[in-house]
Amino acid sequence: MHPAIPLGVTAVIAFAAGFAFSTLTAPDPVSQPFSSAAATQGSAKENRPGFLSSAPSRADSARYLASLANADADALVEELNAAMDLPNPMRRFARITLISEQVTAENGREVAEKYLATATTTERRWGIMVILNSWAMSDPKGALEFARSIKQDNVRDIAMQGALSGWASQNYEAARDWAGDLPEGRERRSALQAVTNALAEQDPERAIREAIALDDRGGRRGMARYAFARLASLDPEKAATIAQSLPPGELRNSVYSEIASTWAREDREEALAWIDGLEEGPPKREAMENFAQAWVMEDVEAATEWLASLPEGGFRNRLLQRSLYAAMNNDPAKAIALVDLVTSQSQQDSMLRTIASNWTERDPDAALQWAKAQSDPGVQKMVWQGVLASMADSDPERAIGLLDQIPESARTDSMRDIARRWAQHDPASAIGWLQRESDPEVRSQALGDAMNQWVRIDPRSSMEWFSKMPAGKERDDVLMRFVSSLLDEDPNVAVEWAGTISNPEQRQRQLERLAREWEQRDPEAARAWMSRSGISTTRNNPTGANQGAAMQPVRSRR
């Protein structure tokens, strides 16, 4: 840990370097069937660099810091991208820490803009949290203004959390007051979470008290979880004592899980003894799930052996599925052993897709080799879907090129996955590719998925393109797949577009469904529109006569 970095900032860097990217070196490329025996060959711990032994020395850090002294924004972005790819977590953490020190009020905006332009994958975008965090330490207003200007919801949330954590590490009260003044809703909850997390790094007991005092039950639970986890890392018995003094309910249940997870990393025997002493019920089961995940992160093989010793059934399956994510970040090949133990086919399918997707993000060639080695048709389908969906984030053209090599049963779902992922960062190219698909059913499904993403990013351009689509069944099918997304932009526009569906019965059903969704969000406006249009959410009019037939879409109200 670099001495100049405050605790709140360190937590953000640790999250970006260790949680979102907590991957030890992937095993050498393997060609392994779907079996735990084959999965463990060629990936022993001695083939991976040690977590602590590979931490850089002070001299290494000093030399690297000196090399950054006059780095411009382009150089810092290049270095940050390279640091994200380092296989050893300790080196990755140290490198990102040093790079973050170079982000200031003077270069923060330029570094952030250029980094976002290069962040083409979902995981890579977590780096914006580090940049905004450091920028906000000296210019919180500028960093927050930039964060709130980001269009994509998930990236904006990440950036906001980074900026607020950086500000709170310097001036907790000011950051807390700013977050508290936001309107009630998701943004305010997320902002208070980031601020309280920063406080928890320095004073977890105070953070616990402030979190519990909040009126917002959902936000309170999330903030308390992190604060309890921080306290448990310092004094698990004290954290357990405070948690057990809370009244029964969701808050106590959730912090039990955090304590179990953190305590498992400190002393598994004591943690398991504490869990065993809890009253039977959901809180105990959730604590056990978090305990299992923490153990898997520390030692996949030992944890898998313990999981295999548990009685077969639903609870063990749930433990295995919940542990999968931790196992993948350690060693995706060894994570396959967990799938072997699951007795539910649907859960096995989900786990295989997840492993394939995660592995492809980190080592696409190794994941492809593993996918090609599969012989079971059901396994092939799940693995290829995961591989191609993940590949579409960073290299959609390569993913498309592989479509001819996959089982026919996986082709439609894989095309839809590619369309969704590609449309998140290049919707026009994704749409252009889909228009060349010869199967109208597959084309309409995938176009609907791509439009669903495009309207969230750029409603005006997406609807200008769609307005040129010829009337008919395919246009109706595509529209019905994405029209709900227009409710987020302008409900009036959504219902007017739905009114252009040519099939009367489908138009009627779609308008009633949109009206119900709109009524849940804004009852007064929705009911006013329903009274004008004749649409009702409480009665059925199968003909749809005079309801939407003459409606014309509004081109744009933005």
Side-chain angles (χ1 to χ4, degrees):
M1 183 182 301
H2 197 277
I5 301 293
L7 284 172
V9 180
T10 301
V12 168
I13 298 172
F15 182 77
F19 180 76
F21 300 97
S22 59
T23 55
L24 297 175
T25 302
D28 293 334
V30 291
S31 177
Q32 298 173 352
F34 170 49
S35 76
S36 56
T40 57
Q41 296 173 4
S43 55
K45 284 183 180 177
E46 57 267 24
N47 293 333
R48 301 199 306 272
F51 186 84
L52 293 175
S53 62
S54 295
S57 67
R58 288 180 180 271
D60 288 340
S61 296
R63 282 192 294 270
Y64 182 70
L65 186 60
S67 74
L68 297 174
N70 297 311
D72 61 13
D74 289 314
L76 291 175
V77 168
E78 183 178 354
E79 289 295 325
L80 184 55
N81 279 319
M84 292 291 190
D85 291 333
L86 289 174
N88 182 269
M90 286 297 287
R91 288 189 177 276
R92 186 166 61 241
F93 173 84
R95 186 65 59 88
I96 294 172
T97 299
L98 296 174
I99 296 167
S100 73
E101 288 188 331
Q102 312 309 308
V103 180
T104 64
E106 287 71 33
N107 67 2
R109 180 175 295 276
E110 185 180 7
V111 174
E113 289 175 346
K114 291 186 173 182
Y115 182 80
L116 279 181
T118 69
T120 57
T121 66
T122 301
E123 281 199 341
R124 181 75 73 191
R125 291 170 189 149
W126 284 101
I128 196 65
M129 176 185 280
V130 177
I131 295 169
L132 270 290
N133 189 295
S134 294
W135 180 7
M137 290 169 58
S138 54
D139 179 17
K141 182 179 179 180
L144 284 166
E145 184 180 277
F146 178 85
R148 299 185 84 183
S149 72
I150 297 172
K151 290 185 177 180
Q152 289 178 273
D153 290 347
N154 59 337
V155 182
R156 183 172 62 250
D157 288 346
I158 292 167
M160 288 283 291
Q161 290 168 29
L164 284 164
S165 294
W167 188 10
S169 71
Q170 303 297 301
N171 189 337
Y172 167 73
E173 283 76 14
R176 179 198 59 196
D177 292 345
W178 183 91
D181 287 340
L182 291 172
E184 291 290 340
R186 185 174 62 85
E187 185 181 36
R188 180 178 185 273
R189 181 178 297 174
S190 178
L192 287 170
Q193 174 83 63
V195 171
T196 308
N197 286 359
L199 174 63
E201 290 295 318
Q202 303 175 50
D203 188 346
E205 290 189 64
R206 180 185 173 188
I208 288 171
R209 291 193 299 271
E210 298 217 1
I212 291 173
L214 284 174
D215 293 332
D216 182 346
R217 293 174 59 189
R220 177 177 60 190
R221 185 166 64 250
M223 294 170 216
R225 284 175 68 104
Y226 187 87
F228 269 100
R230 176 61 180 160
L231 180 58
S233 70
L234 304 172
D235 189 341
E237 291 185 0
K238 176 180 280 189
T241 298
I242 295 174
Q244 288 174 308
S245 70
L246 297 173
E250 291 182 359
L251 178 61
R252 190 175 72 173
N253 296 353
S254 64
V255 300
Y256 275 177
S257 296
E258 290 300 327
I259 292 169
S261 176
T262 306
W263 205 342
R265 291 189 287 269
E266 305 296 325
D267 189 323
R268 281 194 291 273
E269 288 187 7
E270 287 190 6
L272 195 55
W274 173 70
I275 295 170
D276 284 340
L278 296 176
E279 184 179 353
E280 292 295 334
K284 182 174 182 176
R285 289 195 293 271
E286 291 174 16
M288 186 67 80
E289 290 168 9
N290 278 37
F291 169 86
Q293 289 179 78
W295 191 354
V296 164
M297 288 185 71
E298 296 290 317
D299 189 340
V300 176
E301 292 172 323
T304 301
E305 185 177 345
W306 171 71
L307 287 163
S309 71
L310 300 176
E312 289 187 3
F315 181 57
R316 190 180 79 166
N317 286 348
R318 183 173 172 81
L319 283 179
L320 289 163
Q321 192 165 28
R322 291 288 298 273
S323 300
L324 179 71
Y325 300 96
M328 288 186 306
N329 286 332
N330 190 322
D331 186 333
K334 289 184 179 179
I336 301 168
L338 297 175
V339 183
D340 272 339
L341 296 174
V342 173
T343 57
S344 163
Q345 184 64 59
S346 63
Q347 286 179 310
Q348 277 198 349
D349 289 348
S350 175
M351 292 169 76
L352 284 169
R353 280 196 302 269
T354 302
I355 291 173
S357 177
N358 180 276
W359 202 344
T360 303
E361 287 174 359
R362 298 182 330 184
D363 191 343
D365 291 333
L368 274 174
Q369 200 166 348
W370 175 59
K372 291 176 181 178
Q374 306 310 312
S375 57
D376 180 280
V379 173
Q380 284 180 332
K381 179 179 180 181
M382 297 302 112
V383 170
W384 276 111
Q385 284 180 14
V387 167
L388 295 185
S390 178
M391 192 174 290
D393 272 334
S394 57
D395 194 348
E397 297 288 353
R398 186 181 184 187
I400 292 168
L402 289 165
L403 282 171
D404 291 337
Q405 302 181 32
I406 70 174
E408 188 61 31
S409 60
R411 189 173 184 276
T412 298
D413 287 340
S414 294
M415 280 194 67
R416 295 181 64 183
D417 286 336
I418 293 171
R420 276 191 292 267
R421 298 292 188 95
W422 198 0
Q424 288 179 8
H425 54 86
D426 189 357
S429 295
I431 294 287
W433 163 61
L434 290 171
Q435 286 181 292
R436 298 191 293 272
E437 170 59 34
S438 58
D439 186 324
E441 181 65 25
V442 174
R443 185 173 61 241
S444 66
Q445 291 180 32
L447 278 171
D449 293 330
M451 283 294 298
N452 216 353
Q453 299 298 324
W454 197 2
V455 296
R456 296 174 189 273
I457 299 169
D458 188 349
R460 183 189 297 274
S461 298
S462 60
M463 296 315 297
E464 284 179 358
W465 176 87
F466 183 76
S467 67
K468 301 171 186 176
M469 195 170 183
K473 181 180 183 303
E474 183 173 9
R475 180 187 182 281
D476 288 352
D477 290 345
V478 172
L479 179 56
M480 287 189 292
R481 290 182 181 278
F482 77 83
V483 70
S484 290
S485 297
L486 292 172
L487 281 175
D488 295 331
E489 301 301 323
D490 188 333
N492 287 290
V493 171
V495 294
E496 290 182 37
W497 275 105
T500 68
I501 295 172
S502 58
N503 183 293
E505 292 184 2
Q506 290 180 336
R507 181 174 64 243
Q508 177 71 17
R509 286 196 298 269
Q510 197 71 22
L511 287 168
E512 289 178 353
R513 185 176 65 81
L514 290 173
R516 283 192 293 272
E517 291 184 30
W518 189 3
E519 191 173 26
Q520 290 176 355
R521 304 180 188 194
D522 187 346
E524 184 177 346
R527 289 165 189 162
W529 174 81
M530 285 189 282
S531 68
R532 294 194 304 271
S533 64
I535 296 293
S536 172
T537 58
T538 58
R539 61 185 176 86
N540 183 33
N541 183 347
T543 65
N546 299 320
Q547 296 181 13
M551 293 183 184
Q552 295 298 321
V554 175
R555 296 301 181 198
S556 176
R557 292 190 179 180
R558 295 174 63 78

